[in-house]
Amino acid sequence: MDQKTEITADDTSQGRIRQENIERIMKAAEHVFAANGFRGATTAAIAKEAGLPKANIHYYFGTKAKLYRAVLDDILVLWLSSFREIGENDDPATTLADYIRAKMQLSQNRPNASKVFANELIRGAPRINSYLESELKDWVEEKAAILDHWIEEGRMAPVDSKRLIFHIWAMTQTWADFEVQWAAVLGRKKKLKAEDFDAATDFIVSMVLRTCGLQPIPPRS
Amino acid sequence: MDQKTEITADDTSQGRIRQENIERIMKAAEHVFAANGFRGATTAAIAKEAGLPKANIHYYFGTKAKLYRAVLDDILVLWLSSFREIGENDDPATTLADYIRAKMQLSQNRPNASKVFANELIRGAPRINSYLESELKDWVEEKAAILDHWIEEGRMAPVDSKRLIFHIWAMTQTWADFEVQWAAVLGRKKKLKAEDFDAATDFIVSMVLRTCGLQPIPPRS
DNA sequence: ATAGAACTTGACCGTTTGGTCAGGTTTTGT
DNA sequence: ACAAAACCTGACCAAACGGTCAAGTTCTAT
């Protein structure tokens, strides 16, 4: 009668079958939500991609909205955990480069996560506004303060630290969200090659470090 | 019987009422498609926002798919026409700065156009792949050649010209597509202020010009 | 003035949607 | 071995969907 098993994404308490199926469903859901947005995605499409009857996904997640939330929560955890700890005593150049590389690998390895997040933002982020206004805002302010500290110590050139972070995000995320566009312009067949991601990573690192006066500008020919 | 009036977006041949209604519907459609994607958007929602009965929008556009195409075509024209002509004899610094400013104004003034385009790309661009592979690719290659020419002449530092263009797009579009995110992090109430766009524009211009060796890096304190 | 073209729209239709449920099978702890 | 818990799923439902249509109203050229 009462199906109050209270399913959460990280329910490790019991059930091998449960874990396997939840994983399978969420992977399929991430893909379908990425490709169609929340409203455009159908539970039938998710079920088909997961290779399960539709009723089965409702058994585990109840409603489409709850499944979406679970996918979204998974992504937010991934997002925040990807941000390596930055300390005031670290080297500015290597810290920035490492961070860009980490974000870029996320774009390459988890493009659907990035797309679901992008979809949510485009829609006005109705479900994650509190996350943006709290965790994310705090994270940015904390990291920006460290950059400002470095600037004050003369360890890098003065830049608008918050906006630097914003644009690093913009540049790294574009390679996941708009992959088809860059693939088409570069003459690739739908998918980018690994070397495209490498070249983009190097470019962004170079651009950011030059902006911060941490890498010399090559002389004009 | 046969309603073969062949409606195109730029049908100026006749009909004051026709033009007015088509404009109203397309504006509403752009908003609804931006907020929900093609699959997630409903003709009822578009009709409601346009202030017309649903049957009326079918009278003018036939199907949801045709309406979407019309909106998309409108955006592609806007996109390409926004790219000012660049000549080999222009000044690199002012040309790049002007271009960034133009793209940024599009983000500020037509965010829904940007969002519809972004949605289409995230989905894999099923309807505009030929545009990406032809017009857009050609445009990028043409402009990149001019940048390369400038580099060869020693008028700017060597950079990967195509990737520079890609990342300018990424940085300018993020202010339209992900406005809520930046508004939340900056502590604004949902919408960014005009000064936020101005500050972002200055930052991107500065970043690009520094990268190209066209603007001195401020000394460390 | 008037006839034909253009525009309007409530009511309707077949399909797809998210979600439910009863009755079954499998797994698990003892 | 066996009962309880967990899992499975075809069949079903009301609501929402894209689209149609016939009967009307308004506009426009002569």
Side-chain angles (χ1 to χ4, degrees), chain A residues 103-131:
Chain A
K103 275 240 91 190
M104 207 60 181
Q105 288 209 346
L106 257 186
S107 284
Q108 192 171 2
N109 299 332
R110 293 290 300 273
N112 285 333
S114 185
K115 286 178 179 178
V116 170
F117 192 75
N119 258 318
E120 182 65 15
L121 290 180
I122 288 176
R123 264 139 243 244
R127 294 154 227 265
I128 58 169
N129 227 303
S130 70
Y131 158 80

Side-chain angles (χ1 to χ4, degrees), chain B residues 12-194:
Chain B
T12 51
S13 58
Q14 65 198 47
R16 198 193 76 262
I17 297 174
R18 174 172 224 90
Q19 257 191 338
E20 276 180 20
N21 279 343
I22 282 185
E23 228 168 278
R24 199 135 66 104
I25 293 168
M26 283 184 67
K27 190 182 167 187
E30 188 175 280
H31 182 227
V32 175
F33 282 131
N36 299 98
F38 175 70
R39 287 220 51 189
T42 67
T43 54
I46 294 168
K48 191 181 174 188
E49 186 155 325
L52 295 168
K54 195 182 64 167
N56 204 317
I57 89 160
H58 279 99
Y59 171 73
Y60 282 109
F61 288 93
T63 67
K64 176 174 134 176
K66 283 183 191 166
L67 171 57
Y68 184 66
R69 258 250 77 97
V71 171
L72 217 46
D73 286 343
D74 227 38
I75 292 169
L76 296 189
V77 168
L78 185 74
W79 245 227
L80 285 179
S81 70
S82 80
F83 301 153
R84 291 256 41 81
E85 288 304 317
I86 300 179
E88 289 192 351
N89 296 324
D90 291 336
D91 175 57
T94 57
T95 304
L96 284 169
D98 284 353
Y99 176 58
I100 291 166
R101 272 184 247 280
K103 276 240 90 192
M104 207 61 181
Q105 288 208 345
L106 258 184
S107 284
Q108 192 171 2
N109 299 331
R110 293 291 301 274
N112 285 333
S114 185
K115 285 177 181 178
V116 170
F117 192 76
N119 257 317
E120 182 66 16
L121 290 180
I122 289 175
R123 263 138 244 245
R127 292 152 229 265
I128 58 169
N129 227 303
S130 70
Y131 158 81
L132 297 177
E133 288 170 353
S134 55
E135 281 111 306
L136 194 68
K137 184 166 184 273
D138 292 347
W139 188 91
V140 169
E141 279 167 2
E142 184 193 327
K143 305 313 172 195
I146 293 175
L147 290 180
D148 290 339
H149 187 74
W150 287 340
I151 291 168
E152 266 171 45
E153 282 184 324
R155 297 172 68 191
M156 56 181 273
V159 294
D160 183 330
S161 52
K162 273 191 199 174
R163 261 161 271 265
L164 182 70
I165 293 170
F166 295 169
H167 291 113
I168 289 174
W169 278 348
M171 289 189 285
T172 50
Q173 291 224 164
T174 199
W175 292 94
D177 301 340
F178 304 151
E179 176 175 6
V180 273
Q181 180 171 221
W182 310 135
V185 172
L186 289 172
R188 307 285 184 263
K189 303 247 168 227
K190 276 274 181 192
K191 296 236 115 214
L192 290 166
K193 297 180 179 180

Side-chain angles (χ1 to χ4, degrees), chain A residues 9 25-27 29-31 33-34 37-38 46 61 63-81 110 112-132 135:
Chain A
I25 293 168
M26 283 185 67
K27 190 183 168 187
E30 189 176 278
H31 182 227
F33 281 132
F38 174 71
I46 294 168
F61 289 94
T63 68
K64 177 173 132 175
K66 281 183 192 166
L67 171 56
Y68 184 66
R69 257 251 77 95
V71 170
L72 217 46
D73 286 343
D74 226 39
I75 292 168
L76 296 189
V77 168
L78 185 73
W79 246 227
L80 285 179
S81 70
R110 293 290 300 273
N112 285 333
S114 185
K115 286 178 179 178
V116 170
F117 192 75
N119 258 318
E120 182 65 15
L121 290 180
I122 288 176
R123 264 139 243 244
R127 294 154 227 265
I128 58 169
N129 227 303
S130 70
Y131 158 80
L132 298 177
E135 281 112 306

